[in-house]
Amino acid sequence: MQLKHSKFKNTGILFELLVRRVTADTLEGKESKALGLLKKYFTNTELGKEYKLFEAVFKNSSISELKATLILTTTLDASKRLNKTSLRKEKYNLIKEIKENYNLEDFFKIRISHYKALASFATLLETTNGVDNISPNIIIENKLTLLDFITKGIINKGVAKDELLEEFKSYDKDTRILTYRVLLEKFNSKYDNLNSFQKSILKEYINSVDSTPKLKDFYNNKIQEIKSTLNILNKKVTDKVVQIKLNEVSKLLIELDKNQKIKDNHLIDLLQYAELVEELTKIVK
């Protein structure tokens, strides 16, 4: 028997997508319904207890195979003590509320870099708790996928504090830690006060973590927008030296072609160009 993975039932994926939604909503400057859902469904609930099992597994990286196997065995055994009826009901109600507050297709289409490992653990949880007639090969395959992921250290170690994340201080510990990780996954520079243009750039980057056509189109459109704005501002600058510098910057604003892949430095470039535009706008009247 084959067991089809469902991201709608995957507690680890649900939690991470909610945190990403909190981040995006906050950067848009609006109250986040996702934050309320995190507190409602992951605090003192069976869903929260199951997420703790995901956390116990995925907080580890670059560990020995023996230790990884012990962690996996222990967490799977602990999952047997969860109230399955309450767990199913909470997942159903959570999905229902997500659908009421967000476009379900858009909510779940965000790419997660370690999706396969999360899917493997969710599948193992199901096979441990009542799914019968599962092929042993399926169980072995998922265990090997998960153990390989943990022992090779694909997960980021630790969570570094960044100035950008000060606005998330009010979040509870679990929400804050994962928010940090999601942001730092693609953003590793220090900005004290992002302007609205920079926030829109970072928001899009968070919502399109992997190199997707949509993200590349966004990047190219922003490059065009920044270049056009710089050209307009340059005409108002009277200092010849500044004009020459701006012309040099404009030459660096090059769109990505179809064969190029978006990297972290492209995000940093956009944020820096956005800061330059803001400073020039203040100076040039």
Side-chain angles (χ1 to χ4, degrees), residues 95-109:
I95 294 298
K96 182 181 177 182
E97 289 204 48
I98 290 174
K99 188 175 182 179
E100 290 172 354
N101 290 285
Y102 299 99
N103 180 292
L104 207 58
E105 183 179 351
D106 290 341
F107 186 88
F108 279 99
K109 75 179 180 181

Side-chain angles (χ1 to χ4, degrees), residues 8 28 30 41 44 59 70 79 81 93 107 116 131 143 166 171-172 182 185 187 242 247 266 280 284-285:
F8 293 94
E28 281 187 328
K30 63 183 183 183
Y41 286 99
N44 299 321
K59 71 180 181 181
L70 177 62
S79 71
R81 296 189 287 274
N93 289 334
F107 186 88
K116 188 175 181 180
V131 179
K143 282 187 176 181
E166 287 297 307
Y171 296 173
D172 59 66
V182 172
E185 182 179 352
F187 182 60
V242 175
N247 286 329
H266 292 120
L280 279 173
V284 180
K285 302 296 183 180

Side-chain angles (χ1 to χ4, degrees), residues 140-177:
I140 292 171
E141 181 183 343
N142 282 285
K143 282 187 176 181
L144 289 176
T145 296
L146 194 55
L147 291 174
D148 184 63
F149 179 76
I150 300 172
T151 56
K152 286 189 175 179
I154 301 175
I155 304 175
N156 293 330
K157 282 186 174 182
V159 180
K161 185 177 178 181
D162 192 283
E163 300 297 331
L164 169 66
L165 305 173
E166 287 297 307
E167 62 182 298
F168 301 114
K169 275 185 174 179
S170 61
Y171 296 173
D172 59 66
K173 183 180 178 182
D174 286 340
T175 305
R176 189 169 64 247
I177 288 175

Side-chain angles (χ1 to χ4, degrees), residues 122-134:
T123 300
L124 290 173
L125 286 173
E126 289 193 56
T127 60
T128 303
N129 292 280
V131 179
D132 299 322
N133 301 320
I134 298 297

Side-chain angles (χ1 to χ4, degrees), residues 245-260:
K245 293 294 183 182
L246 287 177
N247 286 329
E248 291 176 354
V249 171
S250 292
K251 292 177 182 178
L252 297 174
L253 296 170
I254 302 173
E255 295 177 35
L256 297 176
D257 62 41
K258 63 180 181 179
N259 296 319
Q260 285 181 284

Side-chain angles (χ1 to χ4, degrees), residues 8-24:
F8 293 94
K9 297 179 182 178
N10 190 313
T11 300
I13 289 176
L14 288 170
F15 186 88
E16 182 151 345
L17 290 179
L18 281 169
V19 171
R20 293 192 185 198
R21 191 64 257 172
V22 170
T23 305

Side-chain angles (χ1 to χ4, degrees), residues 48-103:
K49 291 176 184 177
E50 186 172 72
Y51 172 70
K52 289 296 182 182
L53 300 181
F54 277 84
E55 189 178 54
V57 172
F58 287 90
K59 71 180 181 181
N60 294 285
S61 64
S62 298
I63 59 177
S64 69
E65 186 173 341
L66 179 61
K67 185 175 181 180
T69 302
L70 177 62
I71 291 171
L72 182 55
T73 301
T74 303
T75 52
L76 290 176
D77 184 60
S79 71
K80 297 176 183 178
R81 296 189 287 274
L82 294 175
N83 185 315
K84 307 304 184 299
T85 301
S86 295
L87 186 59
R88 284 193 296 271
K89 183 177 180 181
E90 288 169 7
K91 285 184 182 181
Y92 175 83
N93 289 334
L94 173 57
I95 294 298
K96 182 181 177 182
E97 289 204 48
I98 290 174
K99 188 175 182 179
E100 290 172 354
N101 290 285
Y102 299 99
N103 180 292

